[in-house]
Amino acid sequence: MMVWRCVRPSWRFLVTISAVTLSLFAFLHFKPIRARLDIYLLQAQHQQASLQVSHPIVLKQRRCPSDFADIEGDFLFVTVKTTKQYHRLRLNLIASTWISDALLFKGRNDKPVVKVAILSDAVDDFVNTMIGGRMVKSRCPSSHNKTDLCCKQAAEFDLYYGEPKLAKWYCHFDDDNYVNMYQLLAELERHDASKPLYLGKSSRGMVKLKDVISGNEKGRVAFQFGTGGAGFCLTRVAMKQIKPKVSRTTGGLGLEGLCRKLPGLSDDVAVGYVTGFYKIGLTQVPTMHSHLEKLSALSQDDIRKAVSLINNSSNFSNFQCLQCWKL
């Protein structure tokens, strides 16, 4: 009959087990690895959420990044502003969906068509590496008041102006936007980038405010502005024109300084104000959708054709589903 004996583990065995456990713990808590695991988790949730869509969209054959291979490299520069408190909820999600899509596009001579820069009050190492080191810590206050948002928009503009070669187009989106990069590039291709153009979707009619730029106290600036929640785009020609009034690289506070002269002016209104001062009118893009439109109220055709959408609920799995729906 076999006799079971109580065998005490050797000290070498205990040291080995302890070392393996500590190594595994450190590995899983290493920031880049943790961020990657977060994205894998989001993708798994996306697959589950896609199965729960009550009225799934019937997909057509979608365009591939190679369809834009004839586009000139450095065609589009996109900036997104966010804050540390939204890194896990929003930033990781858009990084694993539309931003990762944007980085796939290659133009002539295999040069990237789209570059993405992110402005935040903290840098996420994994996302920063993913977008080529273009995640920048803002010097602006992290609050959401209008003057601070103008400061952040000025900093976003300076990310564009700081590039060694200025892209043909500049676009701004928020961290709760979903951008269909296929539709965005197709929309931009329809416009003449050799002209000073300002693209967006206005939520109100013409606005008139006093002229604080030229010093004419009796003057008025008439303009329309693209609602920031839908995103907006400007050509390189337009960006060069407005640079003296929006960039901090030319001296002063740029767009933030303008907002201080007109208290209560939000960042998107300020951009429209400056473009209006330079007689650059807003070109309406109906397929750019903001927080003023409920995602649930849009038809399936609207979603297919959308350049941008916004999540105006607390359920960010909407974006995970949209990643499957895009053309």
mmCIF file of all heavy atoms in Angstrom, residues 44-65:
data_model
loop_
_atom_site.group_PDB
_atom_site.id
_atom_site.type_symbol
_atom_site.label_atom_id
_atom_site.label_comp_id
_atom_site.label_asym_id
_atom_site.label_seq_id
_atom_site.Cartn_x
_atom_site.Cartn_y
_atom_site.Cartn_z
ATOM 1 N N ALA A 44 -12.826 43.322 -27.560
ATOM 2 C CA ALA A 44 -13.680 42.196 -27.196
ATOM 3 C C ALA A 44 -15.093 42.662 -26.867
ATOM 4 O O ALA A 44 -16.083 42.037 -27.248
ATOM 5 C CB ALA A 44 -13.075 41.448 -26.003
ATOM 6 N N GLN A 45 -15.188 43.795 -26.160
ATOM 7 C CA GLN A 45 -16.501 44.352 -25.856
ATOM 8 C C GLN A 45 -17.207 44.784 -27.129
ATOM 9 O O GLN A 45 -18.424 44.673 -27.253
ATOM 10 C CB GLN A 45 -16.333 45.543 -24.912
ATOM 11 C CG GLN A 45 -15.877 45.156 -23.522
ATOM 12 C CD GLN A 45 -15.550 46.370 -22.677
ATOM 13 O OE1 GLN A 45 -15.394 47.482 -23.187
ATOM 14 N NE2 GLN A 45 -15.435 46.162 -21.368
ATOM 15 N N HIS A 46 -16.431 45.306 -28.070
ATOM 16 C CA HIS A 46 -16.996 45.726 -29.353
ATOM 17 C C HIS A 46 -17.637 44.556 -30.075
ATOM 18 O O HIS A 46 -18.736 44.643 -30.608
ATOM 19 C CB HIS A 46 -15.897 46.353 -30.191
ATOM 20 C CG HIS A 46 -16.015 46.119 -31.670
ATOM 21 N ND1 HIS A 46 -17.071 46.578 -32.401
ATOM 22 C CD2 HIS A 46 -15.192 45.475 -32.518
ATOM 23 C CE1 HIS A 46 -16.899 46.224 -33.661
ATOM 24 N NE2 HIS A 46 -15.778 45.555 -33.747
ATOM 25 N N GLN A 47 -16.971 43.392 -30.087
ATOM 26 C CA GLN A 47 -17.525 42.225 -30.741
ATOM 27 C C GLN A 47 -18.821 41.792 -30.076
ATOM 28 O O GLN A 47 -19.790 41.420 -30.733
ATOM 29 C CB GLN A 47 -16.507 41.086 -30.702
ATOM 30 C CG GLN A 47 -15.282 41.359 -31.569
ATOM 31 C CD GLN A 47 -14.242 40.265 -31.432
ATOM 32 O OE1 GLN A 47 -14.381 39.345 -30.615
ATOM 33 N NE2 GLN A 47 -13.197 40.359 -32.238
ATOM 34 N N GLN A 48 -18.855 41.866 -28.746
ATOM 35 C CA GLN A 48 -20.054 41.495 -28.025
ATOM 36 C C GLN A 48 -21.176 42.491 -28.284
ATOM 37 O O GLN A 48 -22.318 42.119 -28.505
ATOM 38 C CB GLN A 48 -19.775 41.423 -26.521
ATOM 39 C CG GLN A 48 -20.990 40.984 -25.700
ATOM 40 C CD GLN A 48 -20.656 40.921 -24.220
ATOM 41 O OE1 GLN A 48 -19.577 41.310 -23.810
ATOM 42 N NE2 GLN A 48 -21.582 40.433 -23.430
ATOM 43 N N ALA A 49 -20.816 43.799 -28.294
ATOM 44 C CA ALA A 49 -21.830 44.826 -28.524
ATOM 45 C C ALA A 49 -22.414 44.721 -29.920
ATOM 46 O O ALA A 49 -23.597 44.972 -30.130
ATOM 47 C CB ALA A 49 -21.228 46.217 -28.320
ATOM 48 N N SER A 50 -21.589 44.319 -30.893
ATOM 49 C CA SER A 50 -22.064 44.231 -32.260
ATOM 50 C C SER A 50 -23.159 43.177 -32.394
ATOM 51 O O SER A 50 -24.058 43.291 -33.222
ATOM 52 C CB SER A 50 -20.901 43.881 -33.192
ATOM 53 O OG SER A 50 -19.926 44.873 -33.142
ATOM 54 N N LEU A 51 -23.085 42.152 -31.569
ATOM 55 C CA LEU A 51 -24.096 41.102 -31.607
ATOM 56 C C LEU A 51 -25.405 41.533 -30.979
ATOM 57 O O LEU A 51 -26.428 40.895 -31.159
ATOM 58 C CB LEU A 51 -23.567 39.855 -30.870
ATOM 59 C CG LEU A 51 -22.319 39.212 -31.469
ATOM 60 C CD1 LEU A 51 -21.837 38.084 -30.567
ATOM 61 C CD2 LEU A 51 -22.603 38.681 -32.878
ATOM 62 N N GLN A 52 -25.381 42.651 -30.233
ATOM 63 C CA GLN A 52 -26.557 43.092 -29.520
ATOM 64 C C GLN A 52 -27.309 44.202 -30.250
ATOM 65 O O GLN A 52 -28.273 44.746 -29.745
ATOM 66 C CB GLN A 52 -26.157 43.600 -28.127
ATOM 67 C CG GLN A 52 -25.548 42.509 -27.264
ATOM 68 C CD GLN A 52 -24.995 43.049 -25.965
ATOM 69 O OE1 GLN A 52 -24.909 44.252 -25.765
ATOM 70 N NE2 GLN A 52 -24.632 42.143 -25.067
ATOM 71 N N VAL A 53 -26.859 44.588 -31.466
ATOM 72 C CA VAL A 53 -27.538 45.631 -32.216
ATOM 73 C C VAL A 53 -28.888 45.111 -32.685
ATOM 74 O O VAL A 53 -28.975 44.091 -33.353
ATOM 75 C CB VAL A 53 -26.695 46.067 -33.434
ATOM 76 C CG1 VAL A 53 -27.434 47.123 -34.241
ATOM 77 C CG2 VAL A 53 -25.365 46.591 -32.979
ATOM 78 N N SER A 54 -29.961 45.794 -32.306
ATOM 79 C CA SER A 54 -31.305 45.302 -32.603
ATOM 80 C C SER A 54 -31.656 45.429 -34.077
ATOM 81 O O SER A 54 -32.416 44.641 -34.609
ATOM 82 C CB SER A 54 -32.326 46.060 -31.756
ATOM 83 O OG SER A 54 -32.225 47.453 -31.980
ATOM 84 N N HIS A 55 -31.093 46.469 -34.769
ATOM 85 C CA HIS A 55 -31.385 46.672 -36.184
ATOM 86 C C HIS A 55 -30.076 46.829 -36.930
ATOM 87 O O HIS A 55 -29.675 47.927 -37.282
ATOM 88 C CB HIS A 55 -32.265 47.907 -36.386
ATOM 89 C CG HIS A 55 -33.579 47.814 -35.672
ATOM 90 N ND1 HIS A 55 -34.595 46.985 -36.094
ATOM 91 C CD2 HIS A 55 -34.023 48.430 -34.553
ATOM 92 C CE1 HIS A 55 -35.633 47.118 -35.288
ATOM 93 N NE2 HIS A 55 -35.299 47.970 -34.331
ATOM 94 N N PRO A 56 -29.359 45.737 -37.171
ATOM 95 C CA PRO A 56 -28.038 45.847 -37.786
ATOM 96 C C PRO A 56 -28.120 46.423 -39.194
ATOM 97 O O PRO A 56 -29.065 46.183 -39.932
ATOM 98 C CB PRO A 56 -27.538 44.393 -37.813
ATOM 99 C CG PRO A 56 -28.781 43.576 -37.782
ATOM 100 C CD PRO A 56 -29.761 44.338 -36.964
ATOM 101 N N ILE A 57 -27.108 47.211 -39.547
ATOM 102 C CA ILE A 57 -27.047 47.811 -40.871
ATOM 103 C C ILE A 57 -26.557 46.772 -41.876
ATOM 104 O O ILE A 57 -25.639 46.005 -41.604
ATOM 105 C CB ILE A 57 -26.099 49.016 -40.855
ATOM 106 C CG1 ILE A 57 -26.792 50.165 -40.136
ATOM 107 C CG2 ILE A 57 -25.694 49.440 -42.252
ATOM 108 C CD1 ILE A 57 -25.982 51.419 -40.071
ATOM 109 N N VAL A 58 -27.197 46.752 -43.034
ATOM 110 C CA VAL A 58 -26.762 45.856 -44.096
ATOM 111 C C VAL A 58 -25.566 46.496 -44.779
ATOM 112 O O VAL A 58 -25.674 47.554 -45.393
ATOM 113 C CB VAL A 58 -27.898 45.619 -45.109
ATOM 114 C CG1 VAL A 58 -27.416 44.708 -46.223
ATOM 115 C CG2 VAL A 58 -29.114 45.030 -44.406
ATOM 116 N N LEU A 59 -24.421 45.864 -44.639
ATOM 117 C CA LEU A 59 -23.172 46.471 -45.116
ATOM 118 C C LEU A 59 -23.001 46.350 -46.616
ATOM 119 O O LEU A 59 -23.397 45.361 -47.232
ATOM 120 C CB LEU A 59 -21.978 45.798 -44.436
ATOM 121 C CG LEU A 59 -21.832 46.041 -42.940
ATOM 122 C CD1 LEU A 59 -20.661 45.235 -42.423
ATOM 123 C CD2 LEU A 59 -21.644 47.501 -42.631
ATOM 124 N N LYS A 60 -22.419 47.394 -47.189
ATOM 125 C CA LYS A 60 -21.972 47.349 -48.577
ATOM 126 C C LYS A 60 -20.467 47.113 -48.557
ATOM 127 O O LYS A 60 -19.832 47.162 -47.514
ATOM 128 C CB LYS A 60 -22.283 48.672 -49.275
ATOM 129 C CG LYS A 60 -23.770 49.011 -49.317
ATOM 130 C CD LYS A 60 -23.981 50.361 -49.972
ATOM 131 C CE LYS A 60 -25.452 50.747 -49.976
ATOM 132 N NZ LYS A 60 -25.672 52.085 -50.573
ATOM 133 N N GLN A 61 -19.902 46.893 -49.724
ATOM 134 C CA GLN A 61 -18.450 46.720 -49.792
ATOM 135 C C GLN A 61 -17.789 48.042 -49.446
ATOM 136 O O GLN A 61 -18.054 49.060 -50.060
ATOM 137 C CB GLN A 61 -18.032 46.279 -51.198
ATOM 138 C CG GLN A 61 -16.536 45.991 -51.302
ATOM 139 C CD GLN A 61 -16.165 45.468 -52.671
ATOM 140 O OE1 GLN A 61 -17.006 45.393 -53.549
ATOM 141 N NE2 GLN A 61 -14.903 45.132 -52.846
ATOM 142 N N ARG A 62 -16.939 48.065 -48.434
ATOM 143 C CA ARG A 62 -16.350 49.316 -47.987
ATOM 144 C C ARG A 62 -15.037 49.592 -48.705
ATOM 145 O O ARG A 62 -14.381 48.683 -49.207
ATOM 146 C CB ARG A 62 -16.147 49.307 -46.488
ATOM 147 C CG ARG A 62 -14.899 48.611 -46.005
ATOM 148 C CD ARG A 62 -14.867 48.647 -44.490
ATOM 149 N NE ARG A 62 -13.590 48.192 -44.005
ATOM 150 C CZ ARG A 62 -13.330 47.993 -42.716
ATOM 151 N NH1 ARG A 62 -14.272 48.183 -41.829
ATOM 152 N NH2 ARG A 62 -12.138 47.605 -42.326
ATOM 153 N N ARG A 63 -14.679 50.863 -48.740
ATOM 154 C CA ARG A 63 -13.443 51.251 -49.382
ATOM 155 C C ARG A 63 -12.251 50.841 -48.527
ATOM 156 O O ARG A 63 -12.346 50.784 -47.306
ATOM 157 C CB ARG A 63 -13.417 52.758 -49.609
ATOM 158 C CG ARG A 63 -14.538 53.255 -50.502
ATOM 159 C CD ARG A 63 -14.452 54.747 -50.710
ATOM 160 N NE ARG A 63 -13.361 55.088 -51.611
ATOM 161 C CZ ARG A 63 -13.113 56.319 -52.032
ATOM 162 N NH1 ARG A 63 -13.870 57.317 -51.622
ATOM 163 N NH2 ARG A 63 -12.108 56.569 -52.851
ATOM 164 N N CYS A 64 -11.161 50.574 -49.169
ATOM 165 C CA CYS A 64 -9.940 50.194 -48.461
ATOM 166 C C CYS A 64 -8.973 51.371 -48.462
ATOM 167 O O CYS A 64 -9.064 52.265 -49.296
ATOM 168 C CB CYS A 64 -9.283 48.994 -49.150
ATOM 169 S SG CYS A 64 -10.309 47.502 -49.101
ATOM 170 N N PRO A 65 -8.016 51.368 -47.518
ATOM 171 C CA PRO A 65 -7.034 52.452 -47.506
ATOM 172 C C PRO A 65 -6.305 52.620 -48.834
ATOM 173 O O PRO A 65 -5.925 53.719 -49.209
ATOM 174 C CB PRO A 65 -6.077 52.031 -46.391
ATOM 175 C CG PRO A 65 -6.921 51.222 -45.470
ATOM 176 C CD PRO A 65 -7.879 50.472 -46.370
#
